[in-house]
Amino acid sequence: MSVAAIARIGTPLKIARNGTIYRQSERADVVYYVERGLVRVDVASPEGKHAVVALLGPGSFFGECALAPQAQRKGSASALLDTRVICIIKADVLRLLRSNSTFARHFMSHLVRRVARAEEDVADLQLNSIEKRLARALLLLADIDDQDGEQTALAAVNQQTLAEIVGTTRPRVSHFLGRFRREGYVSGRGQIKVHSSLVRVLLKT
């Protein structure tokens, strides 16, 4: 289903870089679609600990929990780049899932990919070293650069955010980034450039 078709269903919304889209525990009655930019979804514990659970580029839905009865947001969402999303109210999403097979296939395909990615993330966290988890995160970020080429996901993600994605501390991220630079897997400092050779880290036994 094309972006234009989805845009006709919902309401476009522009969010400036670092702007909040919704907060954890708010009432959820809207599903969002990323048209351009980069969205960060994170969760916070009662003790104040934060974890990044998703970074979503163009073509991604988020906020799907709105489809549940009396739903509340399970996490917070914010824009890491200048971002444009399409807001689709719950009633319209449910109607389209019943009546529009093209939309239903598109939406379900997205959900399947998100579930598969979540399973991969859990396995990565439980089974792999910090070095491999960071390499995987950088390779995934390199794949979701903004479509217009003016913004990149890697430019928006700092070491603290990487630490929250990987499940470690910022100094450990800095340590491994230094190692990756020395080995030629990444380059640059303000904006990291990921080279395809970084996949070798994932292949280490």
Side-chain angles (χ1 to χ4, degrees):
M1 193 171 193
S2 70
V3 173
I6 293 174
R8 288 194 294 271
I9 298 165
T11 303
L13 175 66
K14 292 181 179 180
I15 306 101
R17 182 172 181 169
N18 298 321
T20 299
I21 301 169
Y22 58 74
R23 291 183 173 85
Q24 189 168 325
S25 298
E26 287 182 348
R27 180 184 174 188
D29 53 12
V30 174
V31 175
Y32 298 88
Y33 178 85
V34 185
E35 185 175 348
R36 67 183 299 271
L38 182 67
V39 172
R40 163 183 165 148
V41 180
D42 64 270
V43 295
S45 71
E47 296 77 26
K49 293 183 178 180
H50 288 262
V52 176
V53 295
L55 291 177
L56 303 170
S60 300
F61 289 96
F62 66 102
E64 305 94 334
C65 70
L67 300 180
Q70 299 178 334
Q72 289 185 317
R73 298 297 181 192
K74 306 303 182 185
S76 300
S78 58
L80 287 183
L81 297 168
D82 291 336
T83 295
R84 179 181 167 99
V85 300
I86 297 167
C87 313
I88 313 173
I89 63 173
K90 173 181 178 177
D92 286 341
V93 177
L94 293 175
R95 175 178 56 81
L96 287 164
L97 288 173
R98 290 191 296 266
S99 63
N100 188 315
S101 60
T102 301
F103 178 85
R105 285 195 300 272
H106 189 81
F107 191 79
M108 294 306 295
S109 176
H110 160 79
L111 288 181
V112 169
R113 289 195 302 271
R114 283 284 297 276
V115 169
R117 171 69 185 277
E119 291 177 350
E120 290 170 1
D121 289 346
V122 171
D124 187 46
L125 187 63
Q126 295 294 323
L127 302 176
N128 286 331
S129 65
I130 294 171
E131 181 183 29
K132 286 189 175 182
R133 299 202 305 266
L134 178 58
R136 178 174 176 266
L138 290 171
L139 287 165
L140 289 170
L141 283 167
D143 281 341
I144 57 173
D145 281 354
D146 198 29
Q147 290 176 340
D148 63 10
E150 295 177 1
Q151 306 182 105
T152 68
L154 287 163
V157 177
N158 57 30
Q159 290 188 11
Q160 182 58 42
T161 299
L162 283 172
E164 292 173 5
I165 295 170
V166 171
T168 187
T169 63
R170 193 198 62 76
R172 293 295 286 164
V173 167
S174 180
H175 167 76
F176 284 110
L177 281 176
R179 178 183 295 181
F180 293 166
R181 287 190 186 95
R182 290 192 297 274
E183 294 178 353
Y185 297 147
V186 304
S187 56
R189 297 205 175 256
Q191 178 177 339
I192 299 170
K193 181 177 181 181
V194 175
H195 304 295
S196 59
S197 58
L198 182 60
V199 74
R200 294 175 188 167
V201 174
L202 301 182
L203 300 177
K204 289 182 179 178
T205 57

